[in-house]
Amino acid sequence: MLNEAAVNHVYLAQGNTDLRKSIDGLAALVQQEFELDPFSPNLFVFCNRQRDKLKILYWDQNGFWLYYRRLERGKFQWPSVQSKSIPLKITRRQLNWLLDGLSLEQKQAHSEVMARTFI
């Protein structure tokens, strides 16, 4: 399954994506339009026009994982389009919010603490 420790970054494809695309089509999109390496240890997240389906592309050592999520009710809080050719870089925490139906900007979430000492 997905080894979260090995994931460097999470990239959202802005706007909608034709989710009829398979692994090869999504990997080509990452490489040609985003100018990123689909074989890098990153998650690439795509959403359909109705905002009720997601696909996540991930390379794992010797093959691709393609995760698919379909909501039976509701929609994903997909961010508005700023530039379709530039993916939006988010944290894994923000991805979890998105998958839970929340927006990427959680005003009530605890802020991240970068503690370096123990008292």
Side-chain angles (χ1 to χ4, degrees):
M1 197 82 182
L2 179 63
N3 180 2
E4 287 194 27
V7 174
N8 287 345
H9 303 289
V10 179
Y11 293 100
L12 294 186
Q14 296 193 63
N16 60 312
T17 303
D18 180 0
L19 292 189
R20 293 177 292 179
K21 292 182 187 302
S22 63
I23 290 172
D24 294 336
L26 295 174
L29 188 69
V30 168
Q31 189 172 39
Q32 295 168 3
E33 290 196 25
F34 301 163
E35 297 179 0
L36 294 170
D37 181 9
F39 300 100
S40 61
N42 300 315
L43 297 178
F44 300 98
V45 188
F46 306 89
C47 189
N48 69 336
R49 184 175 308 169
Q50 292 80 22
R51 306 288 190 250
D52 63 346
K53 297 176 185 78
L54 288 182
K55 281 190 177 180
I56 301 175
L57 184 68
Y58 175 68
W59 174 258
D60 184 22
Q61 297 180 19
N62 62 356
F64 280 104
W65 281 96
L66 185 61
Y67 299 91
Y68 179 73
R69 171 107 186 216
R70 181 183 74 192
L71 296 178
E72 296 303 319
R73 289 192 196 114
K75 297 186 182 298
F76 292 106
Q77 299 293 317
W78 203 253
S80 59
V81 178
Q82 295 171 357
S83 173
K84 202 154 162 104
S85 63
I86 300 172
L88 182 63
K89 187 174 171 183
I90 65 169
T91 65
R92 285 184 281 180
R93 185 178 188 198
Q94 288 174 307
L95 177 61
N96 287 334
W97 290 341
L98 187 68
L99 294 174
D100 284 339
L102 304 171
S103 72
L104 296 179
E105 302 301 323
Q106 290 301 306
K107 309 254 187 283
Q108 296 178 345
H110 295 284
S111 58
E112 186 175 350
V113 175
M114 301 299 275
R116 298 288 179 217
T117 61
F118 178 74
I119 300 174

